[in-house]
Amino acid sequence: PFSDLLFRAQSVHRRFHDPGHVQLSTLLSIKTGRCPEDCKYCPQSSHYETSLQIEPLMKADDIVARAAQAKAAGAERFCMGAAWRQVPDGPQFETILSAVRGVSALGGLEVCCTLGMMRADQAEKLRDAGCDYYNHNLDTSREHYAKIISTRTYDDRLNTLKTARRAGLKLCCGGIVGMGEALEDRLGLLFELAQLEPAPESIPINAYVPVEGVPLANSKGIDPIDFVRMIATARILFPHSEVRLSAGRTSMTEELQALCFLAGANSIFFGEKLLTTPNPEASEDRILLNKLGINAAT
């Protein structure tokens, strides 16, 4: 029953975390569009025609400046995302490393990258530059995966996570719900995450945001109560991890977000945009967190 599930999740949450604190993270798209993957939810895929504005890789100094702004606004973690199938070599990777070093030098910010698949030597260079976390989502269950992506296998994703972990990077790994999956697929995603040893330190749960032009544009999404159940189950399964309430918050009421925090979510993306999709204004988040008596960095 819903009330029992929330009680158990809240009990676990209070045992391992401060229930009055939510981590603020900022996600910046540092290279946008022209991705060769065919993820059916993503407007950055080169396979689909959307209104997305293509943007080349940002300069390292500009990335560091945006990180400084995020820090001043209260962010505790800064994540840099690039629409690549895999991490490139050459000048582009040197730009990434320079940006990571610059963000790390700011102090007071955890540094995260999400750049696609990578080799062991690239992961080690990111670590040495000051990267703390590597984000690489599984997206959905192994069984549902083929309906969402055909250009990268499930094991490719798991191997990338292993590469990041072996290099000493912490993991940020979760998925997306509301893409036509069954309940068994949501549980299957959590099952796959539970097989990772140790578990990811951060687990983002994204509510799918439909975008015109992609194959999943007409997805009906996920029932709000089912979404809260997903958050609560993740909290119970991963008591030590940060469970992040990620994409889709612009369509969520304050009451739904409050239920998610009650269910154990203790991290949100903070800022006007998540890669290419809208996110609540920082002022709106401040108002909501203040209403709920939740503390966040200032």
Side-chain angles (χ1 to χ4, degrees):
F2 187 69
S3 60
D4 291 347
L5 179 65
L6 258 61
F7 179 80
R8 182 172 174 184
Q10 180 62 199
S11 299
V12 171
H13 186 60
R14 287 177 176 270
R15 180 178 176 187
F16 296 98
H17 302 274
D18 176 3
H21 178 78
V22 166
Q23 179 209 55
L24 303 181
S25 299
T26 294
L27 173 59
L28 175 66
S29 180
I30 61 174
K31 183 266 180 187
T32 305
R34 293 203 176 98
C35 180
E37 305 281 21
D38 68 352
C39 308
K40 292 179 174 57
Y41 56 79
C42 187
Q44 299 206 63
S45 172
S46 60
H47 294 257
Y48 316 125
E49 293 186 10
T50 69
S51 60
L52 179 73
Q53 181 176 348
I54 306 300
E55 298 177 0
L57 180 64
M58 295 173 62
K59 295 180 180 179
D61 288 346
D62 293 336
I63 296 170
V64 175
R66 293 289 295 273
Q69 293 173 2
K71 178 183 176 183
E76 301 169 65
R77 183 180 300 172
F78 186 75
C79 187
M80 295 163 268
W84 286 317
R85 171 179 167 77
Q86 57 192 31
V87 179
D89 288 311
Q92 288 184 309
F93 189 45
E94 291 304 318
T95 296
I96 295 292
L97 295 176
S98 179
V100 169
R101 284 190 286 267
V103 176
S104 180
L106 292 174
L109 273 179
E110 295 176 333
V111 183
C112 178
C113 289
T114 176
L115 312 170
M117 297 184 291
M118 62 178 172
R119 300 189 309 269
D121 63 300
Q122 294 171 324
E124 291 164 1
K125 288 179 180 179
L126 284 171
R127 176 204 63 204
D128 293 344
C131 184
D132 301 300
Y133 285 80
Y134 199 77
N135 167 260
H136 200 69
N137 290 333
L138 293 179
D139 287 350
T140 188
S141 71
R142 183 180 289 272
E143 292 75 15
H144 190 62
Y145 187 82
K147 297 179 181 178
I148 305 299
I149 306 160
S150 69
T151 51
R152 186 189 311 185
T153 70
Y154 211 72
D155 287 329
D156 284 337
R157 292 183 179 268
L158 291 170
N159 288 335
T160 299
L161 294 171
K162 292 175 182 177
T163 298
R165 183 65 87 187
R166 287 173 185 148
L169 295 170
K170 297 177 182 177
L171 298 184
C172 176
C173 182
I176 310 169
V177 293
M179 299 192 296
E181 76 282 346
L183 171 61
E184 290 76 13
D185 294 308
R186 296 172 199 151
L187 296 174
L189 167 63
L190 295 176
F191 173 83
E192 292 288 349
L193 293 172
Q195 305 313 299
L196 301 175
E197 291 288 347
E201 286 80 3
S202 287
I203 300 178
I205 304 296
N206 297 275
Y208 177 59
V209 179
V211 178
E212 187 174 350
V214 302
L216 289 177
N218 296 320
S219 173
K220 296 180 180 179
I222 183 172
D223 175 84
I225 297 299
D226 286 342
F227 185 77
V228 179
R229 284 183 175 275
M230 184 72 176
I231 295 287
T233 307
R235 169 50 65 214
I236 293 167
L237 285 173
F238 307 102
H240 298 282
S241 304
E242 291 159 342
V243 176
R244 181 175 301 127
L245 182 57
S246 298
R249 289 199 299 118
T250 53
S251 62
M252 296 181 189
T253 65
E254 288 188 340
E255 293 82 359
L256 174 55
Q257 293 184 69
L259 277 175
C260 289
F261 293 132
L262 186 65
N266 64 338
S267 177
I268 60 171
F269 274 124
F270 190 64
E272 64 181 13
K273 186 180 287 187
L274 298 183
L275 293 180
T276 62
T277 56
N279 200 48
E281 294 288 343
S283 58
E284 295 177 11
D285 283 332
R286 292 290 186 196
I287 291 171
L288 175 59
L289 293 175
N290 286 336
K291 282 183 181 182
L292 300 176
I294 293 176
N295 299 315
T298 56

